[in-house]
């Protein structure tokens, strides 16, 4: 047995314990490390940093590679281990518990100065530090991460979830202006913002942005794929990522359980290699049901990142035929100015307008309608903003992309914020034809390409072509109109479940 006491099964089991702070399986950590130039592991001068240590798996796997790679240059094993642990590997733990776990993984002891540590340090932290950082409150929120003061202003003996790496203006000071060749990690994904159970603010992008401030040669992180479509404060991050020609490789999992067994993350996950010296298109690798497809392409071809390499070829084909997007007849969220909690009057009254809500029907005064008045006396199709079943495949591997409710709304009827409103049609027949069009697998497949969460908005229709709605449409007619091949049709129908 070597001095590291390497046992991958321990951390493989640990990786399945939590959905909140997802631990990285050793196999995945090594797949990420394989993207790096392997000569880095044969240099005694390469420095590595994990700024969000959980189990310590990245540092441990890097140590294994360095121990093998430096065998010729530093023949004595103990001398080699001492050099690697004292001069090449550094980490910042996200909690006190994960600091102990990470040291145990790397040093074989929770205390780096303990008698069981495989390399002696003068303090218990070694090079895996943890500091009990407090949030910096401004106007009820943390100035660094946006955490809610109401939720996270806790007693000193409770975990604050204020992560040291992103709670500083100058991360270089954390390690006395030390430079790092490689920064790698799996950062915390989100924090509750005090709303309902599904309400949270993203954090992972802050770790990516902070890591770039250290100007490493290489940056590798695994993060949720929701940034592809922006939202929740991610618009600037999305724009920066999609236009960063230094992203050399991106591996995408639409189904997070293929990457993290037993863990469901809406919208899937991805990991990327950012190479500070690279300038070019990105090698995009899709992994779906164990199958891989890799294409080199620009990440900024569209406003949102189209994750599927097969889908992007299909979108390009559709957009060559005098393309005009259906989004031009989709109203923005909260189309008539009534929030989800508004119910209206229970009974109809003179000159009232019917308000459709998530809990039924109410009635409001016409003069209370503050938005989209041109649509009030038209026929519209409405659909719930939240997708039924969420944005993840079912047991058959197919996506629903079906709103819980979709119906034609008659003149003098409006809807609350719960719904997306489409159309402003002059006739009921046109609205019914639009309804049937939205029900096709063709449309719902194109919607899927613009969505990485469970909410449907105007942008979800950006790849859906506008049609002549004086006639109905079927999938077969749409396949023929756009000249789809049998392979492309099979691809669509393998991903989308038919509407009942």
């Amino acid at each position: 047995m070597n001095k590291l006491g390497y046992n991958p099964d321990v951390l493989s089991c640990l990786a399945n314990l939590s959905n909140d702070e997802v631990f990285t399986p050793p196999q995945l950590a090594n797949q990420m490390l394989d993207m790096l130039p392997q000569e880095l592991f044969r240099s005694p001068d390469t420095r590595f940093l994990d700024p969000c240590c959980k189990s310590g798996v990245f540092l441990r796997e890097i140590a294994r590679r360095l121990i093998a790679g430096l065998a010729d240059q530093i023949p004595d094993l103990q001398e080699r281990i001492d050099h690697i642990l004292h001069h090449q590997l550094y980490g910042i733990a996200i909690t006190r518990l994960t600091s102990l776990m990470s040291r145990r993984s790397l040093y074989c002891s929770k205390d780096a100065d303990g008698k069981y540590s495989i390399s002696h340090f003068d303090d218990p932290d070694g090079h895996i530090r943890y500091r009990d950082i407090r949030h910096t409150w401004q106007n009820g929120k943390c100035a660094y991460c946006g955490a809610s003061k109401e939720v996270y202003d806790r007693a000193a003996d409770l975990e604050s979830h204020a992560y040291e790496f992103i709670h500083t203006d100058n991360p270089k000071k954390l390690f006395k202006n030390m430079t790092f060749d490689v920064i790698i990690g799996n950062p915390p994904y989100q924090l509750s913002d005090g709303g309902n159970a599904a309400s949270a603010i993203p954090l992972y992008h802050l770790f990516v942005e902070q890591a770039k401030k250290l100007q490493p040669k290489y940056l590798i992180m695994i993060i949720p794929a929701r940034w592809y479509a922006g939202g929740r404060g991610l618009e600037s991050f999305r724009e920066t990522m999609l236009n960063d020609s230094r992203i050399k490789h991106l591996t995408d999992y639409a189904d997070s359980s293929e990457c993290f067994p037993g863990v469901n993350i809406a919208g899937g996950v991805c990991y990327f290699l950012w190479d500070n010296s690279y300038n070019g298109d990105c090698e995009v690798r899709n992994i779906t049901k164990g199958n891989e497809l890799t294409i080199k392409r620009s990440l900024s071809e569209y406003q949102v990142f189209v994750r599927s390499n097969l889908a992007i070829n299909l979108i390009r084909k559709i957009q060559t035929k005098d393309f005009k997007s259906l989004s031009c007849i989709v109203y923005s969220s909260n189309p008539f100015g009534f929030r989800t909690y508004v119910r209206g009057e229970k009974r109809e009254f003179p000159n009232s307008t019917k308000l459709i809500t998530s809990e039924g029907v109410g009635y409001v005064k016409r003069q209370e309608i503050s938005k989209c008045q041109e649509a009030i006396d038209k026929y519209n199709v409405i659909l719930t903003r939240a997708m039924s079943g969420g944005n993840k495949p079912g047991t058959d591997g197919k996506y629903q992309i079906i709103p819980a409710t979709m119906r034609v709304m008659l003149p003098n009827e409006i809807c609350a914020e719960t719904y997306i409103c489409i159309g402003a049609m002059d006739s009921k027949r046109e609205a019914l034809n639009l309804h049937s069009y939205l029900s096709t697998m063709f449309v719902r497949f194109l919607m899927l390409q613009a969505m990485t969460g469970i909410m449907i908005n105007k942008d979800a229709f950006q790849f859906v072509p506008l049609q002549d709605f004086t006639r109905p449409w079927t999938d077969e007619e749409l396949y023929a109109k756009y000249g789809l091949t049998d392979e492309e049709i099979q691809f669509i129908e393998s991903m989308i479940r038919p509407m009942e």
Side-chain angles (χ1 to χ4, degrees), residues 293 309-311 313-314 317 445 479 483-495:
L293 178 63
N309 290 324
L310 280 174
N313 289 330
L314 199 151
K317 177 183 287 190
F445 170 82
Y479 296 155
L484 302 194
T485 64
D486 289 343
E487 181 186 16
E488 290 166 337
I489 294 169
Q490 183 180 7
F491 177 56
I492 290 173
E493 297 186 350
S494 71
M495 293 188 66

Side-chain angles (χ1 to χ4, degrees), residues 101-255:
M101 293 166 53
S102 296
R103 291 184 205 117
R104 178 63 180 83
S105 296
L106 186 61
Y107 305 140
C108 296
S109 170
K110 65 183 178 65
D111 296 319
D113 62 351
K115 66 178 181 178
Y116 297 112
S117 177
I118 59 172
S119 184
H120 180 74
F121 287 82
D122 293 330
D123 63 85
D125 285 359
H127 286 328
I128 300 178
R129 60 185 282 151
Y130 172 73
R131 303 292 183 271
D132 187 11
I133 303 297
R134 299 283 107 181
H135 294 283
T136 301
W137 304 120
Q138 291 182 5
N139 301 319
K141 293 185 180 297
C142 177
Y144 289 102
C145 72
S148 167
K149 182 177 182 181
E150 182 181 359
V151 178
Y152 292 100
D153 190 10
R154 298 171 167 175
D157 59 338
L158 296 177
E159 175 60 54
S160 67
H161 295 285
Y163 304 113
E164 182 181 18
F165 188 62
I166 60 173
H167 284 75
T168 176
D169 293 318
N170 186 359
K172 292 182 179 181
K173 291 183 178 180
L174 298 177
F175 287 99
K176 299 179 181 179
N177 292 318
M178 187 179 294
T179 58
F180 294 95
D181 299 283
V182 178
I183 299 178
I184 185 169
N186 178 7
Y189 295 162
Q190 62 187 28
L191 276 181
S192 169
D193 62 4
N196 58 41
S199 182
I201 55 172
L203 287 180
Y204 54 90
H205 64 298
L206 301 178
F207 282 84
V208 175
E209 292 168 343
Q210 197 79 316
K212 289 182 180 179
K213 291 180 183 178
L214 292 177
Q215 299 179 325
K217 292 180 181 178
Y218 302 97
L219 169 63
I220 303 177
M221 284 199 178
I222 183 162
I223 57 178
R226 289 189 289 272
W227 67 267
Y228 295 166
R232 296 294 298 191
L234 291 168
E235 287 84 0
S236 176
F237 179 71
R238 173 186 65 180
E239 183 178 357
T240 299
M241 290 287 283
L242 294 183
N243 290 284
D244 193 340
S245 60
R246 292 169 294 182
I247 299 179
K248 188 174 184 179
H249 178 94
L250 182 131
T251 293
D252 173 78
Y253 293 86
D255 181 358

Side-chain angles (χ1 to χ4, degrees), residues 15 35 48 55 82 145-146 169 219 256 261 288 342 388 392 411-412 432 452:
M35 295 191 298
F48 299 83
S55 67
D82 289 340
C145 72
D169 293 318
L219 169 63
S256 62
T288 307
V342 177
S388 176
K392 58 181 183 291
N412 203 38
L432 288 169
T452 56

Side-chain angles (χ1 to χ4, degrees), residues 5 11 34 40 43 123 135 299:
L11 299 191
D34 286 343
L40 292 170
S43 169
D123 63 85
H135 294 283
L299 298 181

